[in-house]
Amino acid sequence: VRNGSNSFLGGGIRVDTGGALTMYNSTVSNNFSGYGGSGIGVRDNNIELVLVNTTIANNRTNTGAPIGAALYVGFA
């Protein structure tokens, strides 16, 4: 997953309430979001997230964005 963009959360992948995400042997890179979780943004603490042999790299947010660029899990 690469070169994605979102003005809020989850530039590469966004998982909303009630979802799940499982990734094997994957790369999430060069994505952008305005708020955070640019690589993967998960909006709910109760979502099952499984990442096996997965690289999250070179993702970015706006300067001063309050949430990490690579991965965010929680309520936003």
Side-chain angles (χ1 to χ4, degrees):
V1 177
R2 63 181 176 170
N3 301 324
S5 180
N6 189 320
S7 62
F8 182 61
L9 179 70
I13 298 170
R14 178 175 168 159
V15 183
D16 283 318
T17 303
L21 175 65
T22 300
M23 297 180 77
Y24 295 95
N25 305 317
S26 303
T27 300
V28 180
S29 64
N30 300 314
N31 298 291
F32 172 83
S33 73
Y35 188 73
S38 298
I40 301 173
V42 179
R43 281 196 74 206
D44 188 333
N45 291 329
N46 297 313
I47 289 175
E48 182 177 349
L49 178 63
V50 178
L51 304 174
V52 178
N53 194 32
T54 296
T55 301
I56 305 172
N58 301 320
N59 298 285
R60 64 193 192 292
T61 62
N62 280 336
T63 301
I67 297 172
L71 173 66
Y72 172 76
V73 177
F75 183 78

